[in-house]
Amino acid sequence: MTSTLTQPSAELAVPPRGGGAPRRRTRVLALPEARWALAATVLFLLALPLQLTGAPAWAWGPLYALSYATGGWEPGWEGLKALREKTLNVDLLMVVAALGAAAIGQVMDGALLIVIFATSGALEALATARTADSVRGLLDLAPATATRMGTDGSEETVTVEDLSVGDTILVRPGERIGADGRVLDGASDVDQATITGEPLPVAKEKGDEVFAGTLNGTGALRVRVERDTSDTVIARIVRMVEEASETKAPTQLFIEKVEQRYSLGMVAATLAVFLVPLAFGAALTGSLLRAMTFMIVASPCAVVLATMPPLLSAIANAGRHGVLVKSAVVMERLGQIDAVALDKTGTLTEGTPRVTDVRALGGTGPDELLVLAAAAERPSEHPLGRALVDAAHERGLALPVAEHFDSTPGVGVTATVDGRVVAVGAPARLLLGATDADSARAAVLAAGLEDGGRTAVLVSVDGAPVGVLGIADRLRPDAAATVASLTSLTGAAPSLLTGDNPRAAARLAAEVGIEDVRAGLLPQHKVGAVREWEDAGRKVMVVGDGVNDAPALAAAHTGVAMGRAGSDLALETADAVIVRDELAAVPAVIALSRRARKLVVQNLVVAGVFIAGLVIWDLVGNLPLPLGVAGHEGSTVIVGLNGLRLLREAAWQRAAR
């Protein structure tokens, strides 16, 4: 069959990060394949109870006929068009087998075949459309226009496509940067999490590199364009996602080759079963009955169910526990993983900066220090400021009103709190030139926090340092246990791929037991690491959450996105999504996949034995049609029930151990 059964993510839509217009999304019923499949399924479900309860044939027969027509016309038509290209596919054969079953009275069997194939084709079409939507949506990150500055200081608004290398653009506070370039003048904090995955905005000043699509903070920047708009990091991410997705095509080509050989063999065998007895004088009716019996017992219903129930049951079970596995193919691939690469921010960590250390100096108490810092930062929109305010609220501290608030990008904020001037910001900037003892102690405390991978924030009152606060992205509670489980499953410890700084990455990796750390990576570097491992024969799983992870997710054997904090593109590009943001679900779903693969092998053996036995009986003996149907349906029921064992809660509990 040419369709790949796919479980879409339509019911788990994630709103756009940071607000804004909702992204373009293909609706299920907007696809003609989905509408035809739904019609065929509804008609089948209406006809089945009527037939089983003994209603007259005129009541259920037309419903079955309409089910055949709505679900079978499209694969049948595609199969006929393929015949004109001298290609035979299983879709056409299944339609023929369904019609053959109806011709000898097995109307329900044929209709079920039609419904299965129509539904799988619709789900494949949906998955393809959603992937295209997500790649197009990535381009929306970059602004459509930019402010280009002339040599005389004039300004004009132009489309980003009109920008050329060497142009100078003005980026005002709160705007997205229109091109990759370098800062000529100004200072600001730029949120570039979409590109590097860094959890905090990065201070940018003259000489620093900036990327298209990243969000400028409170300062104005003049930027010299250094890359053509077709070669920006965002544009390259789009290309890499598309290219990496296409690398999965060889598997599909292999499947098509198998289908072609099987199709030709089945047609030849059916014709032989019909024509050879006729050549030796057999009756036409008997030969036709034998050929139809052969077509039924040789049909791949049992083989289809041998594979799908275990995988779909595993998908359903995983879904109940917060893991969206997008297709049966993905569920099978999960069990093949022998190497895992983890992102840092939003994957091993929660993705939200939090206060981890409160180090007071002199006579200032810890709570007083936090109150002063949080009160001064409350008017700020900077994530560090929000972390300080959240920490004060968590401790139940009342915050006085700050006056005369002022923010300096790359330095910090100042405000008047209870009549005192409070400054909160970067220790290196606030302590510049200070030589007193308290300043020296503050510098030592800040250096110690930064050596531990934290962001140090100095608090001073009326020019004198009163303490240092440590802020870090908090490690997920289940991170260390998850790394240990992945190590046990794959035989090797996971690797860490992150755009964050090496010091913070090394500290976190040491906490969870990861030795292979690759930090300061841009998206193309992550893809390069994945391809390096896969060229060495490894089957790599990448777990990430951001736009910057999307190319690696697509390039990997299997990509897994963290759902709650994940970007839209990462969620659509990934093969599986951890909806509840529970990292421990990653090794659990791998174990569940391996159990499903074992059941698939069991079912294929059972299906193969039944089909081979019934085919041989029909060819060398005289297999009665009712017995052939009973054997065929019996094998289908057996493999189906065996596969449904993975629906039980116990299956997930065993996988999660």
Side-chain angles (χ1 to χ4, degrees):
M1 116 186 232
T2 56
S3 297
T4 300
L5 190 57
T6 307
Q7 185 76 11
S9 57
E11 301 303 322
L12 291 164
V14 178
R17 301 180 73 185
R23 59 193 171 94
R24 294 164 292 182
R25 224 172 145 73
T26 300
R27 298 294 180 183
V28 177
L29 293 182
L31 299 171
E33 296 92 341
R35 295 196 293 270
W36 289 119
L38 178 62
T41 302
V42 170
L43 290 165
F44 176 80
L45 293 176
L46 290 174
L48 182 61
L50 293 175
Q51 181 188 17
L52 296 179
T53 55
W58 59 262
W60 48 264
L63 293 173
Y64 275 135
L66 289 173
S67 180
Y68 276 74
T70 54
W73 80 268
E74 191 168 34
W77 179 245
E78 291 300 322
L80 291 174
K81 289 195 295 185
L83 277 180
R84 289 190 298 184
E85 302 295 328
K86 299 181 180 180
T87 300
L88 187 63
N89 60 40
V90 175
D91 283 11
L92 179 60
L93 289 183
M94 289 303 95
V95 173
V96 172
L99 294 175
I104 58 174
Q106 303 303 316
V107 180
M108 183 188 72
D109 290 350
L112 181 59
L113 274 177
I114 292 292
V115 167
I116 291 174
F117 274 71
T119 301
S120 66
L123 294 176
E124 181 188 24
L126 177 64
T128 301
R130 285 287 170 81
T131 300
D133 289 346
S134 65
V135 173
R136 287 195 303 268
L138 178 58
L139 293 173
D140 295 338
L141 287 173
T145 61
T147 301
R148 182 166 61 188
M149 302 186 67
T151 55
D152 58 354
S154 61
E155 300 177 9
E156 64 172 329
T157 301
V158 299
T159 63
V160 293
E161 289 80 8
D162 290 335
L163 294 176
S164 302
V165 175
D167 284 348
T168 299
I169 60 175
L170 174 64
V171 186
R172 293 184 171 89
E175 290 184 345
R176 288 195 177 272
I177 297 172
D180 287 5
R182 198 165 298 277
V183 177
L184 293 177
D185 185 42
S188 185
D189 293 315
V190 176
D191 181 355
Q192 53 187 36
T194 55
I195 302 298
T196 66
E198 293 171 286
L200 301 174
V202 178
K204 297 291 185 179
E205 55 187 17
K206 183 177 180 180
D208 290 335
E209 185 179 20
V210 292
F211 304 106
T214 56
L215 183 64
N216 187 26
T218 57
L221 299 173
R222 284 198 306 118
V223 176
R224 183 179 64 244
V225 178
E226 293 190 340
R227 291 194 188 95
D228 187 82
T229 53
S230 63
D231 196 38
T232 63
V233 173
I234 285 288
R236 280 182 283 165
I237 289 177
V238 172
R239 287 199 298 272
M240 284 187 290
V241 170
E242 293 173 338
E243 291 169 1
S245 297
E246 290 171 359
T247 61
K248 298 177 182 178
T251 300
Q252 183 63 30
L253 292 175
F254 172 76
I255 292 173
E256 290 175 0
K257 289 180 181 179
V258 172
E259 287 180 357
Q260 181 69 7
R261 293 171 183 171
Y262 176 82
S263 301
L264 292 172
M266 187 173 177
V267 169
T270 301
L271 290 174
V273 170
F274 175 59
L275 295 175
V276 170
L278 286 179
F280 288 91
L284 176 64
T285 301
S287 297
L288 180 61
L289 181 61
R290 184 185 292 270
M292 285 296 96
T293 303
F294 174 84
M295 179 168 285
I296 289 174
V297 299
S299 71
C301 284
V303 174
V304 170
L305 286 179
T307 304
M308 300 313 296
L311 298 174
L312 295 180
S313 296
I315 289 173
N317 202 339
R320 290 202 306 267
H321 293 87
V323 183
L324 171 64
V325 179
K326 294 185 178 179
S327 74
V329 173
V330 172
M331 178 55 75
E332 188 173 22
R333 283 181 175 175
L334 282 166
Q336 302 168 356
I337 297 302
D338 59 11
V340 178
L342 300 170
D343 177 45
K344 174 182 170 287
T345 304
T347 301
L348 284 174
T349 68
E350 295 178 346
T352 303
R354 297 178 181 272
V355 175
T356 58
D357 301 87
V358 180
R359 307 285 178 84
L361 293 171
T364 305
D367 285 353
E368 182 184 3
L369 173 63
L370 189 55
V371 165
L372 291 170
E377 285 279 10
R378 185 156 58 173
S380 172
E381 295 182 354
H382 196 285
L384 290 181
R386 291 197 295 270
L388 294 174
V389 174
D390 289 344
H393 287 162
E394 289 171 3
R395 296 191 183 196
L397 302 176
L399 301 182
V401 176
E403 299 176 336
H404 310 300
F405 173 82
D406 184 51
S407 174
T408 303
V411 177
V413 305
T414 59
T416 302
V417 180
D418 291 337
R420 296 179 290 176
V421 177
V422 178
V424 183
R429 302 293 179 89
L430 295 182
L431 293 175
L432 187 64
T435 58
D436 59 278
D438 284 344
S439 296
R441 290 182 59 199
V444 171
L445 288 175
L449 291 174
E450 291 173 349
D451 286 341
R454 294 162 175 79
T455 298
V457 175
L458 178 73
V459 183
S460 67
V461 175
D462 295 330
V466 295
V468 180
L469 301 167
I471 299 178
D473 189 5
R474 191 162 62 185
L475 189 68
R476 290 182 186 271
D478 54 357
T482 297
V483 168
S485 296
L486 291 172
T487 302
S488 176
L489 282 168
T490 63
S495 300
L496 182 63
L497 303 181
T498 178
D500 212 345
N501 68 79
R503 189 165 51 188
R507 176 190 61 81
L508 182 136
E511 289 185 37
V512 299
I514 294 178
E515 295 181 357
D516 183 13
V517 180
R518 306 190 186 193
L521 304 183
L522 289 175
Q524 60 266 34
H525 302 141
K526 293 186 177 184
V527 172
V530 171
R531 287 179 173 161
E532 174 188 329
W533 290 320
E534 296 205 330
D535 288 344
R538 310 296 297 275
K539 296 188 184 301
V540 182
M541 168 191 282
V542 172
V543 186
D545 74 305
V547 168
N548 59 301
D549 298 318
L553 292 173
H557 182 73
T558 307
V560 177
M562 303 301 294
R564 185 173 300 168
S567 71
D568 290 345
L569 184 67
L571 300 183
E572 295 291 356
T573 303
D575 300 301
V577 179
I578 309 300
V579 179
R580 297 178 186 169
D581 241 25
E582 297 172 353
L583 191 60
V586 175
V589 77
I590 292 176
L592 187 67
S593 169
R594 293 184 178 181
R595 176 62 179 156
R597 292 180 65 206
K598 290 180 181 178
L599 291 186
V600 167
V601 173
Q602 292 177 11
N603 285 348
L604 287 174
V605 171
V606 171
V609 169
F610 267 86
I611 291 175
L614 292 172
V615 166
I616 292 173
W617 190 348
D618 184 54
L619 293 178
V620 302
N622 185 20
L623 175 63
L625 177 60
L627 188 57
V629 171
H632 176 264
E633 296 300 326
S635 65
T636 302
V637 170
I638 290 173
V639 299
L641 292 177
N642 190 42
L644 294 179
R645 290 162 53 195
L646 290 184
L647 283 173
R648 297 180 300 175
E649 179 67 21
W652 179 265
Q653 292 176 352
R654 283 196 297 269
R657 289 174 186 169

